[in-house]
Amino acid sequence: MRRELGDWLRRRLRKGVGDQGTAAREVLHDCGASVTELQEQWADQRATQLSIRARKYCFFLSHSSTTNSISIDAPSRLKKELDNVLALQADFDSSTRVLQLARTTIEKGNASSSVLDALASLERSHARLMTKTEALYLSLNVHDRIPELKDVSLEFVQILLMARDLKINIHKRAVGSFFEWDKLDRAVGGKDKPLGASSSTDLLALSKVLLGTKLHQQTRKAIAKRQPALMAAIRKYNNYCEQLSQLYNPTWVVSLPTPLPTTLVDLRNDPTLMQDVWITPSTGEVPRWLEDIDVRDGIRALLKHEQCLEEQRRLGIEADNMCQWFGHELTAIQVAL
């Protein structure tokens, strides 16, 4: 390790600090914003995205002519209730498809009138349950718990909250797929050992190659298993984005979410995948870190440049320690001679 430390330091300085630092400086030069402004925008972005929502709502219970005020954390409680309602709606959507399939199958055959009456009764019961589910969602009082959305259409708020939760799910699924792809890319590109590779005897190496092939197949199966659900979620999310754009009123001042690409390669390179769906109006001027893509690229380049400087200082400390170690070893040899 010590014999290769000098080569490692030179390689890190050339490829890590040198190449990436040069690319970051080029982006900083082309973004059209000064370093001071980028630092201010980055500080504003951190303060906005890392702030803890502490909004509370109160409701009153009357008991023995006494009014008691109970404070409850509105966002967390609302999210739990909304998740339950959305799960219930998803189950009803599945049952709707099952009922439609059953009616199509039954109508193709010579079904009796009693069977058709029973199916019609099921459909009426299902319609009543769907109506009650919508009433249950209305009872959540989203406008009371998120006061900023009191002037926004209830249908718009419903789709916006579903799009937010769905994008969180998409992000988790996409990260899992990207991790599997990275495993294959490292094996093909030679950056790490291929899956199952090992330096041992011929018989053991053959068994390792077979094991690597099996792991490779398992990885590809995992990717194929994840992809349909991910693509279905993305299509549903893009449908929500289209509905939101149709229902949108500029006076609401709510940032619309952007659709996501439907291929893994484009999705991996899409910066909007990591962006949250905003559920609060943008009061005042929209910050540049939110609306200007050049500023966002400049912020990432600024952070990369700072990381390169930090890495350069760390490598300098490593080089000083290596020179100090060589000095101690050389002194020990001279004393021994």
Side-chain angles (χ1 to χ4, degrees):
M1 177 62 185
R2 290 174 177 173
R3 290 195 300 269
E4 299 176 354
L5 185 58
D7 295 336
W8 180 81
L9 289 175
R10 286 192 296 270
R11 186 167 58 253
R12 294 287 296 180
L13 281 172
R14 184 178 66 256
K15 294 185 178 181
V17 177
D19 296 346
Q20 297 189 30
T22 302
R25 286 191 293 270
E26 291 178 355
V27 175
L28 285 174
H29 182 267
D30 298 336
C31 70
S34 63
V35 174
T36 304
E37 184 177 3
L38 291 176
Q39 291 174 345
E40 293 175 354
Q41 292 293 327
W42 173 234
D44 184 28
Q45 181 179 356
R46 284 185 300 173
T48 302
Q49 295 185 335
L50 298 180
S51 61
I52 300 176
R53 295 188 56 181
R55 298 183 177 87
K56 306 285 184 179
Y57 77 97
C58 296
F59 65 94
F60 300 94
L61 298 176
S62 297
H63 180 69
S64 300
S65 301
T66 303
T67 302
N68 301 323
S69 176
I70 302 178
S71 178
I72 297 178
D73 191 358
S76 60
R77 182 183 179 91
L78 176 61
K79 186 179 185 304
K80 292 179 181 179
E81 296 175 351
L82 183 62
D83 288 342
N84 293 331
V85 174
L86 293 179
L88 189 60
Q89 287 181 343
D91 293 338
F92 282 140
D93 291 339
S94 300
S95 61
T96 301
R97 291 191 294 269
V98 173
L99 283 174
Q100 291 175 352
L101 180 61
R103 172 167 287 279
T104 303
T105 304
I106 291 174
E107 289 179 348
K108 289 181 180 179
N110 296 325
S112 61
S113 58
S114 60
V115 174
L116 295 177
D117 292 340
L119 182 60
S121 177
L122 286 174
E123 291 175 344
R124 289 193 297 269
S125 300
H126 183 266
R128 286 195 298 269
L129 289 175
M130 291 291 290
T131 303
K132 292 181 179 180
T133 304
E134 294 176 359
L136 179 61
Y137 176 82
L138 295 176
S139 67
L140 295 181
N141 297 325
V142 177
H143 288 164
D144 296 338
R145 304 187 188 187
I146 307 180
E148 298 88 344
L149 300 177
K150 62 181 180 180
D151 297 328
V152 183
S153 168
L154 185 61
E155 183 180 2
F156 184 88
V157 173
Q158 178 185 8
I159 299 176
L160 186 66
L161 293 176
M162 289 191 296
R164 180 199 61 176
D165 293 341
L166 184 57
K167 191 168 186 181
I168 294 174
N169 184 271
I170 290 174
H171 177 257
K172 294 178 181 179
R173 292 179 180 273
V175 169
S177 297
F178 297 158
F179 176 74
E180 301 294 344
W181 278 111
D182 287 340
K183 290 172 64 177
L184 293 181
D185 291 342
R186 288 196 301 267
V188 174
K191 295 181 181 179
D192 294 330
K193 290 184 178 181
L195 296 176
S198 176
S199 58
S200 182
T201 60
D202 294 340
L203 184 58
L204 183 59
L206 179 60
S207 64
K208 291 294 184 181
V209 169
L210 295 177
L211 178 60
T213 303
K214 183 177 181 180
L215 292 176
H216 184 274
Q217 293 174 353
Q218 291 178 351
T219 304
R220 293 192 64 87
K221 288 180 180 179
I223 294 174
K225 186 178 180 180
R226 290 176 184 270
Q227 189 169 0
L230 176 60
M231 293 298 106
I234 291 176
R235 286 192 295 268
K236 188 174 183 180
Y237 172 78
N238 292 342
N239 185 28
Y240 285 155
C241 294
E242 183 179 356
Q243 296 179 34
L244 290 173
S245 63
Q246 294 174 356
L247 298 172
Y248 182 66
N249 187 343
T251 59
W252 296 337
V253 201
V254 177
S255 299
L256 287 175
T258 56
L260 294 173
T262 55
T263 60
L264 285 179
V265 177
D266 296 335
L267 184 65
R268 187 174 185 176
N269 299 324
D270 189 4
T272 60
L273 175 63
M274 302 299 175
Q275 295 179 4
D276 296 330
V277 176
W278 288 76
I279 61 172
T280 55
S282 301
T283 57
E285 184 181 357
V286 179
R288 294 188 63 187
W289 59 264
L290 181 60
E291 67 171 356
D292 194 343
I293 188 173
D294 292 332
V295 172
R296 292 201 295 268
D297 292 340
I299 291 175
R300 285 192 290 267
L302 176 64
L303 298 178
K304 176 67 72 174
H305 184 258
E306 293 177 351
Q307 291 172 357
C308 289
L309 294 178
E310 180 182 356
E311 180 71 6
Q312 185 175 2
R313 290 191 294 268
R314 190 180 68 82
L315 292 175
I317 295 175
E318 291 287 345
D320 293 340
N321 292 336
M322 185 175 63
C323 292
Q324 185 178 6
W325 177 81
F326 274 119
H328 291 165
E329 293 296 320
L330 182 59
T331 302
I333 293 175
Q334 290 176 350
V335 171
L337 293 176

